[in-house]
Every structure is written in structure tokens, then in C-alpha cells.
Amino acid sequence: MKRILLLAAAVLLAVVPSAARKTKKATPKEHQVVAIPQIEKQVIAIETSNSQLVFLAQPNGVLHTCHYGSKIADPKQFMDYNLRQGTDYGKGPMAYPTQGGAYANEPALSVRYADGSRNTELYYVSHQVKDKGNVVTTEILMKDYVTSLEVKLVYDAYRKEDVILSHAEIANGGKTPVELIDYASSSLYLDADKYLLTSTYGDWSAEMQIEREVLGHNLKVIETKRGTQATQWNNPSFMLSLNTDSFSETDGEVIAGSLCWSGNFRISFEKNVAHRLNVIAGINPFSSEYPLAPGATFVTPDMIWTWSGQGAGQATRNIHAWARRYGVYGGGQITPTLLNSWEGAYFTFTTETLLRMIDDAAAMGLEMFVLDDGWFAMDYPRDSDKQGLGDWEVNTRKIPEGIDYVASYAHSKGLKFGIWIEPEMVNPKSNLAQAHPDWVVRSPGREILQARNQWVLDLTNPEVQDFVFGIFDNTMSLAPNIDYIKFDSNRPIMSMGSDYLGAEQNRFYVDYVQGLYNVMRRVREKYPDTIVQCCSSGGSRVDYGSLKYFNEYWTSDDTDAMERVKIQYGTSLFYPACTMGSHVSDVPNHQTGNVTPLKFRFDIAAAGRLGMELQPKNLSESDRALADRCIRSYKGFRDLVFNGDLYRLSSPYESDYYAFMYVSEDRSRAVVYLYSTNYLNRAIGSKTFRLQGLDPAKQYKIEELNVDKSCFAGSGSVYSGDYLMGGGFTPQIFKTFASAVFYLEAR
Ligand code: GLA
């Protein structure tokens, strides 16, 4: 024994340098290792009726994601889940990966501390569950024991809808300021062999085009840096079909997501060598390092997740059902059909023009008249988009009697009345631009670039927020009963810069969106019942951040019905029909020059909140009669458009037909829409459409609407649900622009 000790001392003498042997130096404070409390290993399961998100808190406090998929009765079995990696910090499927430890992929969170250090390690502290009936909230508290940064991961599980909302609350528990670099809302590790991503791309007048790709091993990102008009090129929504390279409406596992944010967003998809995919979604870190003072908390926007075991159709229905009940202001509430003045009158009108349009709208059975752009500004009259924006007084040369007169006239005809504003923008040629150059978004010393001849007002500035709210408020006071506001926003941010923010320019993109939400919160407190449309050169602000305050959006300035096929199909993947403004316009179409039949235009517009946007007096007598008929029939089934479940039957990307249906919750009524987008000769044309979502045991009377002679020989007859879904429904529809709407009611 003595010999062994002597030997050990000799070895020690050999490896310890002589200086250290003399005086044993204390480890400097910054090099002392802070102990991480060990915890009891545990499973945390977040559940909806059919889905489950499972986390595993390891004994060392690292939190891993084990499962997002079908519901397992006893999730405790995940206790032995094989991570296929160690549990050192940063290894394995981290629930909310941070820059720190062994983690070397895209982080959900990375920060810069006051001393310049960049490492964050978040360990599980505790969690609590609050059961609020259909919504169960799970909050998981995580902590960095070195820096005292805390993150609360919050998951709201909507049981019935199979939707989970997820956000992070990042709190600076330290004594010095912190800079947030990446601060995502949510991160989700998935475990499948293949991931087929469906995402959107587009531009003005071509929004929500669909693209599909099987994800490879490199990083894939969908994002925007446009600031305003954030969804013009991309939408913060996607679907992932798992273990397949083909998109199915009815089969297989699909995970869909959508970020509730109206500004710069970023969603990254990173697949590792073991085919695990990490999805991180949140505010785009681009030029947005955000300061977090000691004691302050940053709450990220919500990320919506849903899982379906029955294809993309069910994923859509989950999100739609959640949106109607929780996600959209006034969701599911039926809003009126309308005539909008824009494409019928543009900037050129008088009181007389408007009154006659109101007469025509009333005669056709429409329920609201909306006065679009052009009604305001005296010194720089808004006779074109070149001037006047910002000067929100009524142009009494066009409407000497005032807005109240026009609104009252509409009301006297039984119509509601709506009006257009674009309060966060300004034309350089306006009194506002001259009075408040400090309110304009601009980079010092540089020319302020124009888009649509206008500039953006700096909504990070509370004074500007007051002004923008004031425009809404004053417009509402132009007449006692304004029922609807179209709230527009017609350009992106360029040369970002804010006088108000001074040296803190990095706050701009985030504070701008918060400023918009501040305005909309005030709008909703004061005007809970006003219908507000979110417009942004068409569909450039279509997201679940804005829909919290807006009833609907203007889907696209492209009103060509054939173009709308793809735009509305893409939109339908994520946003419910009750939010989709769709209007019948004139031909040749003002955007595309195409001529499409009026019936085709009505059948497309009737897929959402129906409106018209043309000069009705230019319609022929037979077109007027058809319009009356289509509007009347729409009112008969529109509760299905606003509240029914969507089943897509045929995709315009994969066939010559776009076809879908809305079904009532009790499956007793349905409306089916069919559009033929190409000519197919009579012999090969005309597809068999297998309906979905019906009750197989019910008998349905099926009837084509808006025609004297139906394209289906069985129109007016009764068929069983199992026949219509299994056997099929065989209308004769094969010409380009042929369309049909069928109404089904159970006997
Ligand atoms: C935008 C909108 C249009 C119309 C015009 C008015 O382009 O998308 O619907 O309101 O502005 O200028």
C-alpha cells in the first residue's frame, strides 16, 4: 500500500509544472464552473384529441423533444426513448436549441451578454399545466444558471382542433443588459425518413403560389425581410408531408405550421444525417438584435402547429377550425356581400356616381357598398396614387355633401357602408409629409425611395401610432354608422431608418409590427363590431398575427378568375374561406386582360366572402340577371363557406380541375365547386369526382345552382353518401372556364 502511494506522488510530480507545485493558485472566479442542479428524469406530454407533443427532461436538466405525432395513451413510455446521442448540452433533439454547449446547428435562441459572451445553456427548472377546458396551457421554465437568463416555453393545446400554439417568453434575470440575436417562437424536432415541404411564393397579383420539394440535408429557409407587405413574396405557413415524396390530401402524416407575425419572419428546416428535421420559426433575426434590459421579458409571437394522420386536408381543417374559433377576429361570423368602388370607378367619381352604384348594388341583392380610394385630400386631391395620401379630409369637390350623405343613402337602401383608408403611408405630395418629415421611415442623408409614389410612416413612434389610430377614429366619425373599414398598406420598407429610435435602429422591424398591433388593439377596444379588412396591395399582409384584429383580408388585386384558381387554392391550405375576400370584376380583366365568362367569375368568387368590383351599369341585361341569381344562391349556402369544413378534391397544380367542397359540421349539407381550367375533349374529359366528408349512411339530394340545364344528369336526384364518396359523382364538365356549383342536402 505504501509503495502505491509513493508511486502516485511520483507520477504527480512528473506531470504538474514546477511553478504550480510551489504555490497552488485559486481558479479565477470567471473560470469556476457553476453546478447545474440534477433533476428527476421526466416525461412532459402536451396533448390534443388526436395528437401529442412529448418532451423528455433528462437528469442533467437538458430538455429533448421525443415525439410530435399520434396520441400515445401512456406517454411515460418515452422515459426510455433512445436519443441515439449523449445528453451533453446541445446534443440530441433539443426542445429549444440555444447557441451553447455542443450545439452547432441553427439556434432558436442566441444572445450577446454585456461582457460580449455568447453562450447560453437552458436547463429545465419546473413546469406547470393550466387546464382551461378546451385549451390546456403547459409552461416549461428553463434557466441558464450562469447568466440567469430564463425562458418560459408556453404551449397552448387546443384539444378539439388538434392545434398547439407555441411561444417563448425570454426574461433577463441578470443584472446587465442582454442583446437577443436569434429569438425564435418555437422549435420542433421531427423524426421521419422523408419530408415533403409545401410552401408558398409569389408577388403582387400572384400571391400564394405553391411549391413542393423533398427536403435535402442543407438548410432550407422561408423568410421575408420586407418589413411591411411581409407576405407578398412568401407566407409564414407551410406543410410537411412525412415519409413520402407525394402530397396527399387524404393519407399519411402531415404537420402544418403558421407564424402569427405580420413582419419579417424566418422559418428554417434543417435535416441532419440521421434524417431528423429541426424546424425553427420566429421573427427574422435579420437586422433585429433586440435589447433586453435587466428584469425585462420579451414575448415572442405564437407559432401554430397541427398534426394530421389523414393527409393535408385534415391539417387544413384543423387550422381552419382553430382560426374560426380562436384565431380570426369575428371568425365564422357571416359578413355581408358587397360592391367595392375600386375597379368600377377608381379615382374618378362624384356623389352621383356613388349613389347610382349603391342603387345597382341594392338592386342586385348585395348587402354593402364600399367606397375605396380617392375620397379624400383637398390641397393635393387624391385623383391618382401620386398625391394626397396622409391628408384625410373629405374631398368636397368630389363629394360636396360629405361621407355621411353617401353612407346614409346606402343605409336607406338597406345596405351597409364601408370606406377605404391607408393610414400608415404618406405621399410626398401631401400636407402631412411637409408637416412631419420626422415621421417618415428613412435613412439619414439618403434619398427616401418611393414605391407607388409613397413613403411609410414610422409606426415605432408612439406619436405616429396615435396619428394612425386617429385616422381610423376620425374616419369612423365621418358618418354615424360606418360598418366596414378597408385598411390598406401599399408598400414595403426600404432604406429602413427611424428618427424616433435614434441609436436603437435594430428595434425597428420588431417595434414597427408591435406599433401596428398597438393601433389595432385600440381600434378593437373602441370598435369591436366594425368589420375591418386587412388589405396590402391585395394579399401582402395575410397572416395570423393580423387576423387577430381583422375579420378578413383582400386576397389579391388579381381578380382574374382563372388566376384566382391558384391564388385561392394556395390560400385555402392555411386560411379559412370566411377570411377570403373574393370579388367578381369586369372583363377584359384589368390586370391580365383575359376574358372569362361571368358564371366562372361568380363561381370562383363564391368560394370566399363574395363581392363585386366593377361598374354594374356596364353589365348587360342577361349578365345582370345571372348576377342576381348567383348572389341569391350564394346567400342560401354561405353559412357553409363561413363555417363549413373544407375538403379539396382536385388540385389545379396536378390536374385540369380545381375542385373542393365545404361540408356542415353535422354533415347534413354541403356545397361542391368544380372548375375546368383546360379544354379536354368530350371523350376523355370530365373526371369522376369522389366527394369527401359526407355521411356514408345519409341520402343527399344534389342540385346544380345558377343554371337552367345542369352539367350533371343526376342534378335534382338523391344519392347516398357512400355512393358519392366511393362510387363518384360524374358531371360532364370539360371546357376551359366551365364551372359548376352543386348544393347537397341530406333528406
Ligand atoms: C391597393 C388595394 C386595392 C385598392 C387600391 C387603392 O392596391 O389592393 O384593392 O384599394 O390599393 O389605391
Side-chain angles (χ1 to χ4, degrees), residues 204 342 347 372-373 382 420 452 486 488 490 535-538 554 557 613:
W204 173 75
W342 182 238
F347 296 101
D372 209 283
D373 200 351
R382 182 75 172 168
W420 179 94
R452 208 190 187 214
K486 176 173 174 179
D488 211 339
N490 280 319
C535 178
S536 183
S537 304
W554 179 222
D557 275 349
E613 187 158 335

Side-chain angles (χ1 to χ4, degrees), residues 288-398:
S288 295
E289 295 88 348
Y290 205 84
L292 196 64
T297 300
F298 186 92
V299 178
T300 69
D302 272 313
M303 177 66 189
I304 305 165
W305 296 105
T306 190
W307 173 86
S308 152
Q310 292 143 45
Q314 190 58 47
T316 287
R317 285 188 290 282
N318 293 349
I319 293 186
H320 286 187
W322 170 83
R324 286 195 297 265
R325 191 157 168 206
Y326 301 100
V328 174
Y329 194 88
Q333 165 201 326
I334 289 177
T335 49
T337 54
L338 60 88
L339 175 67
N340 176 297
S341 67
W342 182 238
E343 287 197 20
Y346 290 110
F347 296 101
T348 314
F349 53 81
T350 59
T351 308
E352 182 61 17
T353 322
L354 305 179
L355 300 192
R356 297 298 70 85
M357 287 178 99
I358 291 171
D359 287 340
D360 285 331
M364 288 191 293
L366 293 170
E367 297 155 309
M368 179 156 69
F369 177 72
V370 179
L371 172 55
D372 209 283
D373 200 351
W375 59 267
F376 53 91
M378 290 297 282
D379 293 341
Y380 299 93
R382 182 75 172 168
D383 294 332
S384 75
D385 61 16
K386 293 192 170 52
Q387 61 178 33
L389 208 53
D391 298 351
W392 295 100
E393 75 266 323
V394 180
N395 183 329
T396 49
R397 281 189 290 274
K398 282 186 191 173

Side-chain angles (χ1 to χ4, degrees), residues 560-576:
D560 179 328
M562 190 58 103
E563 297 275 305
R564 277 289 183 124
V565 163
K566 282 189 174 165
I567 295 171
Q568 295 188 180
Y569 166 83
T571 305
S572 87
L573 291 182
F574 309 105
Y575 300 95

Side-chain angles (χ1 to χ4, degrees), residues 379-380 388-393 422-440 455-458 463-464 467-468 471:
D379 293 341
Y380 299 93
L389 208 53
D391 298 351
W392 295 100
E393 75 266 323
E422 191 183 354
E424 65 196 284
M425 302 279 167
V426 60
N427 282 129
K429 277 196 190 160
S430 67
N431 289 324
L432 178 69
Q434 284 155 30
H436 279 292
D438 55 319
W439 283 5
V440 175
W455 294 331
V456 185
L457 294 179
D458 178 7
E463 250 176 56
V464 175
F467 172 81
V468 172
I471 299 310

Side-chain angles (χ1 to χ4, degrees), residues 74 121 137 140 159 253 367 386 397 474 486 539 594 609 636 663 680 685 691 715:
D74 179 11
E121 296 184 6
T137 299
I140 308 177
R159 284 189 167 124
E253 284 189 76
E367 297 155 309
K386 293 192 170 52
R397 281 189 290 274
N474 292 341
K486 176 173 174 179
N594 289 338
R609 194 274 296 129
V663 184
L680 293 169
L691 302 188
S715 179

Side-chain angles (χ1 to χ4, degrees), residues 441-590:
V441 173
R442 60 176 178 174
S443 169
R446 296 180 203 280
E447 192 192 335
I448 318 176
L449 297 178
Q450 294 183 28
R452 208 190 187 214
N453 313 301
Q454 66 193 55
W455 294 331
V456 185
L457 294 179
D458 178 7
L459 263 180
T460 69
N461 182 343
E463 250 176 56
V464 175
Q465 293 171 25
D466 285 346
F467 172 81
V468 172
F469 171 75
I471 299 310
F472 194 105
D473 204 23
N474 292 341
T475 308
M476 288 298 291
S477 68
L478 292 174
N481 292 312
I482 291 190
D483 305 284
Y484 175 104
I485 296 275
K486 176 173 174 179
F487 189 124
D488 211 339
S489 169
N490 280 319
R491 63 158 283 178
I493 305 281
M494 298 171 188
S495 308
M496 174 271 268
S498 157
D499 276 9
Y500 174 75
L501 289 175
E504 295 204 298
Q505 296 294 309
N506 287 340
R507 302 176 69 115
F508 180 81
Y509 287 119
V510 173
D511 286 5
Y512 188 98
V513 179
Q514 303 286 18
L516 173 71
Y517 293 163
N518 288 343
V519 169
M520 290 313 295
R521 256 192 299 275
R522 288 167 72 183
V523 162
R524 280 320 186 182
E525 270 162 31
K526 188 154 179 192
Y527 301 105
D529 300 327
T530 308
I531 304 163
V532 190
Q533 183 188 66
C534 186
C535 178
S536 183
S537 304
S540 301
R541 195 181 259 168
V542 178
D543 63 81
Y544 281 111
S546 54
L547 283 170
K548 216 167 143 186
Y549 307 101
F550 292 88
N551 301 68
E552 61 170 38
Y553 50 81
W554 179 222
T555 314
S556 178
D557 275 349
D558 190 341
T559 52
D560 179 328
M562 190 58 103
E563 297 275 305
R564 277 289 183 124
V565 163
K566 282 189 174 165
I567 295 171
Q568 295 188 180
Y569 166 83
T571 305
S572 87
L573 291 182
F574 309 105
Y575 300 95
C578 64
T579 58
M580 189 168 74
S582 40
H583 298 175
V584 172
S585 63
D586 205 357
V587 285
N589 182 271
H590 294 190

